[in-house]
Amino acid sequence: MFYDNGLRFECQMCRYCCSSEPGYVYLTKNDIESAASFLSLTFDGFIEKYCRLVDFGTYSLVSLRETPDYDCIFLSPRGCAVYAARPLQCRTYPFWKNVMESEEKWKEEGKSCPGIGKGKTISKKEIERRLKAGEEPPYIVINKK
């Protein structure tokens, strides 16, 4: 793999991955439970207040809401308001399957993420741990027809 010797990455706090473009932060059951607990909300209360359902026909996936400017609902002037309980998708970035498919994709991601190529080296073992963690399935809501 192109990352056999590890890759350098350190978040530069630029907030690009949390803002500016529309997107989805799909949540796992653990994500919802953790964030709900962090915010002293019930599971359903968290979904109602901070999430949207993304309809896939017979089921929906739960995603965080965005502001009208496409910022994450939890992005504050001081950073992530739920950093200690941030979703798996956020914790594993940029070590996502689609980014790690090839060295070219990694470099392409580096054009929008200034943390790629900076900071300490993340080991192959840690990269693979994050890739595996990213395989945790999102929380599914079955749509009643």
Side-chain angles (χ1 to χ4, degrees):
M1 298 302 298
F2 73 95
Y3 57 86
D4 281 344
N5 294 320
L7 294 169
R8 291 177 60 206
F9 172 73
E10 185 175 332
C11 180
Q12 303 296 297
M13 307 304 260
C14 74
R15 303 173 185 210
Y16 181 78
C17 59
C18 307
S19 64
S20 308
E21 295 181 1
Y24 300 101
V25 176
Y26 292 117
L27 304 176
T28 67
K29 183 177 183 209
N30 289 333
D31 290 334
I32 298 166
E33 289 170 345
S34 178
S37 175
F38 183 80
L39 296 168
S40 300
L41 293 169
T42 64
F43 188 92
D44 290 336
F46 176 83
I47 291 174
E48 184 178 316
K49 188 168 184 176
Y50 294 110
C51 299
R52 59 186 164 152
L53 296 181
V54 182
D55 189 357
F56 285 90
T58 58
Y59 68 94
S60 293
L61 297 181
V62 179
S63 177
L64 288 178
R65 289 185 188 191
E66 296 174 323
T67 68
D69 294 340
Y70 304 116
D71 291 350
C72 173
I73 191 88
F74 291 118
L75 184 59
S76 77
R78 287 179 260 128
C80 180
V82 295
Y83 189 83
R86 69 193 184 283
L88 178 66
Q89 185 175 325
C90 304
R91 289 192 318 268
T92 58
Y93 180 82
F95 302 103
W96 295 346
K97 186 178 178 180
N98 65 317
V99 174
M100 301 305 296
E101 286 178 0
S102 67
E103 188 171 9
E104 292 75 28
K105 296 241 181 180
W106 175 256
K107 288 178 179 178
E108 185 66 28
E109 190 70 14
K111 292 177 182 176
S112 59
C113 175
I116 290 178
K118 295 205 174 81
K120 66 180 180 171
T121 299
I122 309 298
S123 70
K124 178 182 180 181
K125 182 178 179 180
E126 176 61 16
I127 291 168
E128 289 181 343
R129 185 196 69 76
R130 293 183 194 186
L131 283 166
K132 180 145 182 70
E135 294 173 3
E136 185 176 340
Y139 185 70
I140 297 174
V141 176
I142 303 300
N143 296 334
K144 297 177 182 173
K145 297 288 179 180

